[in-house]
Amino acid sequence: ARARARRQRNIRVGIAAVVVIGIAVFVATRGGGSGKTSTTTSTTLAAGSAAGKPCVPVSDPLPAGAPAVPVQVGPPPTQLVSQDLKVGTGATVGANDTVTVNYIGVSCSTGVIFDSSYSRGQTATFPLSGVIKGWTDGIPNMKVGGQRLLGIPPAQAYGADGQPPDIAPDETLWFVVE
């Protein structure tokens, strides 16, 4: 009898916890019961992921010497975009090469520049085997002296983890690489 009473009490406590949590979530998303939706709470809950958000134009001023980033406004690409904006005349980059580049990166859903070698005033050098998959797949066959647009879906960038605080989870990235 004692075991049955303890089990029933545990069930009541469990149900009460679920109800309290459910009410807290409801109140938080409904603005404390005032009848108005709380935009602060909703934004906080929704701001965590860029999944499904459309691409918007670049919203930041470009650093000195940086090229424009022709973001394809609207639905984010679901496949890697690798498009030469200017074809170079030098050697062709191989998949296992180490490259020295200037680049600018923009978040699709915000239009914010999250990284730029132009802002630092120096090129970056790295092996293509040590970067995000979108670069590993998107840079080979580019010719030295060229300029390439990369539109990189989240699965080929930083995925569901993102790179807080600059890159949201599930963010599509746009780059121009020279």
Side-chain angles (χ1 to χ4, degrees), residues 76-143:
T78 57
Q79 301 292 318
L80 177 66
V81 173
S82 180
Q83 173 188 351
D84 284 321
L85 301 174
K86 173 184 162 190
V87 177
T89 57
T92 300
V93 176
N96 298 313
D97 287 352
T98 294
V99 296
T100 298
V101 297
N102 263 317
Y103 66 92
I104 183 168
V106 175
S107 293
C108 161
S109 69
T110 64
V112 171
I113 297 170
F114 62 83
D115 194 10
S116 169
S117 63
Y118 300 96
S119 296
R120 292 186 296 278
Q122 63 184 25
T123 58
T125 301
F126 46 80
L128 287 177
S129 62
V131 293
I132 60 175
K133 186 164 176 38
W135 277 56
T136 300
D137 294 348
I139 298 297
N141 299 317
M142 184 176 178
K143 291 190 176 201

Side-chain angles (χ1 to χ4, degrees), residues 5-68:
R6 190 174 335 141
R7 192 171 39 242
Q8 287 176 340
R9 182 175 49 90
N10 288 344
I11 290 171
R12 284 193 306 269
V13 169
I15 291 171
V18 169
V19 170
V20 168
I21 290 170
I23 290 171
V25 169
F26 177 78
V27 169
T29 59
R30 293 296 299 166
S34 65
K36 295 181 182 177
T37 301
S38 171
T39 54
T40 304
T41 303
S42 297
T43 302
T44 301
L45 295 173
S49 174
K53 293 182 181 178
C55 294
V56 299
V58 178
S59 61
D60 289 334
L62 294 173

